[in-house]
Amino acid sequence: TEVDTATPACPCKNCAWKGTLMNVTGRFSLLVLTVVVSSGLCGCRSDVAKSPTCGPLRDQFVNYSGNPVISPGPQGSWDAGALGSMTVLKVGDTYHMYYEAWGVRSEAEWDASEYTSLQIGHATSKDGLHWSKDPANPVIPKGGPGQWDADGTWDPFVLYEDELFKMWYGGGQEVCDWGFAVSKDGTHFEKKGRLSHIGHVEDCHVVHDKATGRYYMYYWDRRHEPYGLFRAESPDEMNFNFDNAEPVRIEGEKYPRMYKFTHVFQQNGKWHMFYSNFIRPGCKNCTVRYAVSDDGLHWKKVAGDLFKGQDAEVLKVKDDLYYVYYGPDGYFDQKDCNIRLAIFKGSLANPQTAE
C-alpha cells in the first residue's frame, strides 16, 4: 500500500518531504514512518525556510566526487605505504589535516618492521577539498635511538587553543603510549614528552570541556578488548589520570562486538560521537555510526550504518554543513589506504532515538 502523502514524515515541519512506500503492507509502512519521524534526523534545519531534501540521517551523507582527497606518496617517499588516522581543524581561513603515514606497507597482515616506518604528516587546504602536503613532512617524525617514540609516531589529534596547535599522538610499536607536542605555526612542533605508560593504546581523541576546563581523552586500550574504549580525564593537556580511566559503552550497540575510532565533540548542549564497528584485519564491512550523550560518558546510539568506512573525522564547516574524512572500507592499516571525504548537509540538532 502507499503511505498517505498528506501526512508529513519530517518532524521539522518546514520541508516538503513526504514518504511514499510501494509494494509493502500497511503495517510495515506504518513502522517505517514511525522510525523516520521519531529519529529527528531528517537533515533539515527548523530555522531555514528552504530545507534540503529530508530523510534518515544516513541518506544525507554524500561521497565527494573528487575522492580520494589525499593519497600515499610515490615509491620511496616517507608516506609511500598507506595513510590514516586523520585529524582536521580550521584555523583562520586555512584547513589543517594531520595524519599518520607508513613509509612502507606490503600486503602482509602484520610486519613489525613496516610499522616502525609510521610518522605523522601535515597538509593544508583553503576549501577542505583540495589539499597540499607540507614540504616539511613528517612534522612529527619518530624519535631517535633510545627515545620512547623511536619505533614510530601515529594517531595524531590536534586542537588549536591559546594560539598553539596542540597535538596528542601515539608513539612506539612494541610498547604503544601517548605523547604531546605543540606548535605555533602548525608545521614546526616541539615534543613535550610521554603522557602514559599503558603500552597497548591507539585511537586518541581529546575534548576540552570549556564548562569545566577539563580535558577528556577517548582512546582504545587493547588489554581490555572487546571492551577497549575508555575515557581519561585531566585538569590540563598532559596530566591524564589513566589509572582511573572510565570504560565507555554505547547503548543500542551489540556487545561483545568492538566499537572504536571515536570522534567526539560538543554542540547544542549535547556530546556527539561518530565511531565505527571494528573487525580485524582491515575493518572490512565496517560502517560509520553516530551516538549522543548528555555527559560524554554514557552514550546512546542514534544512527548506524551511515556509510561504509572507518576512522571518521568530523569537521563542522557551518551550521548545516559537515565534512567527514574517513578511510575506505577494508583498508584500515592496509597497503595503499588513502583519505576520503563524505559531505553531510543538514543538522545534528536534537537527535532522539536510533533509526
Side-chain angles (χ1 to χ4, degrees):
T1 60
E2 182 176 328
V3 175
D4 179 7
T5 56
T7 303
C10 178
C12 75
K13 304 186 187 305
N14 280 331
C15 71
W17 188 82
K18 303 290 192 298
T20 302
L21 300 175
M22 302 299 294
N23 301 319
V24 294
T25 67
R27 183 177 183 181
F28 184 67
S29 300
L30 179 61
L31 173 62
V32 172
L33 185 60
T34 300
V35 171
V36 173
V37 171
S38 65
S39 72
L41 292 171
C42 63
C44 292
R45 292 178 52 197
S46 60
D47 59 335
V48 176
K50 294 184 178 179
S51 300
T53 302
C54 292
L57 181 64
R58 67 171 62 93
D59 295 338
Q60 304 302 310
F61 288 84
V62 178
N63 275 311
Y64 173 53
S65 60
N67 279 332
V69 294
I70 303 184
S71 297
Q75 186 173 1
S77 61
W78 78 278
D79 61 349
L83 310 180
S85 295
M86 70 298 298
T87 174
V88 185
L89 64 160
K90 189 178 183 183
V91 179
D93 62 354
T94 301
Y95 294 83
H96 296 261
M97 180 187 294
Y98 297 89
Y99 55 93
E100 68 178 25
W102 286 256
V104 180
R105 188 70 181 100
S106 68
E107 300 288 350
E109 182 176 329
W110 169 258
D111 186 325
S113 65
E114 294 178 355
Y115 277 71
T116 61
S117 73
L118 276 164
Q119 300 183 93
I120 293 172
H122 174 226
T124 57
S125 171
K126 289 300 183 183
D127 60 6
L129 307 176
H130 305 90
W131 293 87
S132 299
K133 294 179 181 178
D134 194 327
N137 279 337
V139 296
I140 300 285
K142 61 183 181 180
Q147 295 183 321
W148 75 274
D149 57 357
D151 289 334
T153 54
W154 34 266
D155 280 359
F157 181 77
V158 178
L159 292 176
Y160 184 77
E161 302 177 321
D162 309 317
E163 298 185 351
L164 286 174
F165 292 83
K166 301 178 180 181
M167 180 189 291
W168 294 263
Y169 70 96
Q173 190 260 118
E174 289 294 333
V175 177
C176 300
D177 271 302
W178 299 123
F180 182 65
V182 297
S183 170
K184 292 182 179 180
D185 62 5
T187 292
H188 302 93
F189 280 84
E190 178 186 357
K191 294 180 180 180
K192 294 295 187 178
R194 183 177 180 177
L195 304 185
S196 65
H197 292 80
I198 301 171
H200 301 275
V201 298
E202 55 191 64
D203 296 329
C204 163
H205 188 95
V206 176
V207 174
H208 186 189
D209 182 12
K210 300 301 175 61
T212 64
R214 311 288 289 181
Y215 288 82
Y216 296 93
M217 179 186 289
Y218 296 82
Y219 66 97
W220 188 258
D221 187 338
R222 295 193 300 273
R223 298 174 302 175
H224 299 281
E225 290 185 357
Y227 305 100
L229 185 57
F230 283 81
R231 188 185 79 166
E233 185 175 344
S234 174
D236 53 37
E237 296 90 341
M238 297 186 65
N239 293 291
F240 288 92
N241 187 354
F242 293 106
D243 290 339
N244 293 305
E246 298 178 279
V248 177
R249 301 288 184 270
I250 304 169
E251 180 186 342
E253 289 293 10
K254 298 178 180 179
Y255 292 93
R257 298 177 185 176
M258 294 188 285
Y259 303 94
K260 63 194 294 265
F261 306 119
T262 52
H263 177 101
V264 179
F265 59 95
Q266 296 170 303
Q267 181 181 307
N268 300 322
K270 287 276 190 180
W271 295 64
H272 303 257
M273 177 197 290
F274 283 80
Y275 64 101
S276 299
N277 58 320
F278 182 51
I279 304 170
R280 290 191 180 97
C283 216
K284 181 67 176 175
N285 294 321
C286 292
T287 57
V288 175
R289 301 159 182 238
Y290 172 53
V292 295
S293 170
D294 291 324
D295 59 7
L297 184 61
H298 304 90
W299 294 88
K300 185 172 184 179
K301 176 183 174 183
V302 173
D305 303 338
L306 297 178
F307 57 89
K308 280 192 174 184
Q310 36 77 22
D311 221 352
E313 169 76 2
V314 182
L315 178 67
K316 181 180 179 180
V317 180
K318 53 185 180 180
D319 285 346
D320 57 356
L321 179 63
Y322 297 77
Y323 287 169
V324 184
Y325 301 89
Y326 68 98
D329 180 41
Y331 277 82
F332 172 69
D333 278 3
Q334 303 299 302
K335 177 178 170 60
D336 297 328
C337 185
N338 54 43
I339 296 173
R340 303 189 178 194
L341 171 64
I343 299 173
F344 171 56
K345 294 182 178 180
S347 174
L348 297 176
N350 302 317
Q352 299 297 324
T353 56
E355 292 180 359

